[in-house]
Amino acid sequence: MGRADQTIEPVSTGRSRVSNAVTAMSRVSESAKGIDAVIEGLDKIAFQTRVLAMNAAVEAGRAGEAGRGFAVVADLVSALAMRAEEEAGRARDQLTVTQVEIGTAVAAVEDVDGAFSSISENAQSVHKLLGQVAADNRVQSESISRLSETIRVMDNSNQQNAAMVEETSAAARNLMAEIGQLVEHAAQFRIEGGTAASSPRSLGRASYALPVASVAAVSEEAWV
């Protein structure tokens, strides 16, 4: 999450700078259009100067020998006007190339701005996805905690059950020992007729053989 936030911030800053660059290049393009207008004005001035120089040369030719010096000056002015026209043409050509380059640069910067926009959208999508993943992790962590608590309770219950089983086993062993002692004591009873019950099986058979009235006699007769 932190790195996603750190990614979104530079992208937003980059988009802002690209937007400033596009604005600056747009201003340069407008300035170039103004320069083109100035060059066109200089070209017209050079053309008019050349026309005037030609007219001056014609008038100097009409003046004859007296206008010869003026004709030379007119020729020089005409030559300078032609050079000015040529330089204005080269400046216009260079300005055209510059305008094309500026347009290409603006298009490239706009492409960069589009790329930054896509990166920003993707970064925001990743940020949302990471938020969902973090929420899912919290839910999963809570589920694991509840599961751990359930397992702990089950483990305690198993331990208690094991202890109860152990206690039951011990009680069963004690009961079996007491039963054994009772059997030994029962073997010492004298049965009417003088026969002693030597084993639980024989005691069982003897008890079935006794009449109901003799049960009290057995309890009243002495222990050996």
Side-chain angles (χ1 to χ4, degrees):
M1 293 290 291
R3 292 187 178 182
D5 293 335
Q6 292 175 0
T7 302
I8 293 174
E9 183 177 357
V11 169
S12 299
T13 303
R15 289 198 64 188
S16 178
R17 292 179 179 176
V18 167
S19 178
N20 292 335
V22 170
T23 303
M25 288 186 177
S26 298
R27 289 197 298 267
V28 171
S29 179
E30 293 298 326
S31 298
K33 292 179 182 179
I35 293 172
D36 183 58
V38 172
I39 292 174
E40 185 177 358
L42 293 175
D43 191 21
K44 291 179 180 180
I45 293 172
F47 176 75
Q48 292 174 358
T49 302
R50 187 162 59 86
V51 171
L52 290 174
M54 290 176 63
N55 292 332
V58 171
E59 294 297 330
R62 289 177 182 179
E65 188 68 23
R68 183 177 297 176
F70 189 72
V72 173
V73 173
D75 289 339
L76 293 175
V77 171
S78 178
L80 289 174
M82 291 180 64
R83 287 185 61 185
E85 288 180 351
E86 292 175 355
E87 293 297 329
R90 281 196 289 269
R92 182 178 291 106
D93 293 339
Q94 186 63 39
L95 183 61
T96 301
V97 173
T98 301
Q99 288 177 331
V100 172
E101 294 296 331
I102 290 173
T104 302
V106 169
V109 172
E110 289 177 348
D111 290 339
V112 173
D113 182 62
F116 271 119
S117 178
S118 298
I119 293 172
S120 178
E121 292 177 357
N122 292 332
Q124 290 177 357
S125 298
V126 171
H127 187 271
K128 292 181 180 178
L129 180 60
L130 290 176
Q132 293 176 356
V133 170
D136 293 340
N137 287 336
R138 286 193 296 270
V139 173
Q140 185 177 7
S141 178
E142 293 175 357
S143 299
I144 291 174
S145 297
R146 289 194 295 268
L147 180 60
S148 299
E149 180 64 19
T150 302
I151 292 174
R152 187 184 65 81
V153 172
M154 290 177 63
D155 184 62
N156 291 335
S157 298
N158 289 333
Q159 291 179 0
Q160 292 176 359
N161 291 335
M164 292 175 64
V165 168
E166 182 66 25
E167 291 176 358
T168 303
S169 298
R173 288 193 297 269
N174 293 332
L175 182 59
M176 291 299 296
E178 291 178 358
I179 289 173
Q181 293 176 0
L182 289 174
V183 169
E184 291 178 359
H185 292 164
Q188 297 176 2
F189 281 110
R190 288 185 179 273
I191 302 174
E192 184 179 0
T195 304
S198 60
S199 65
R201 187 173 299 174
S202 60
L203 177 60
R205 290 198 298 268
S207 62
Y208 286 123
L210 290 173
V212 178
S214 64
V215 175
V218 172
S219 60
E220 292 177 355
E221 291 183 12
W223 294 75
V224 177

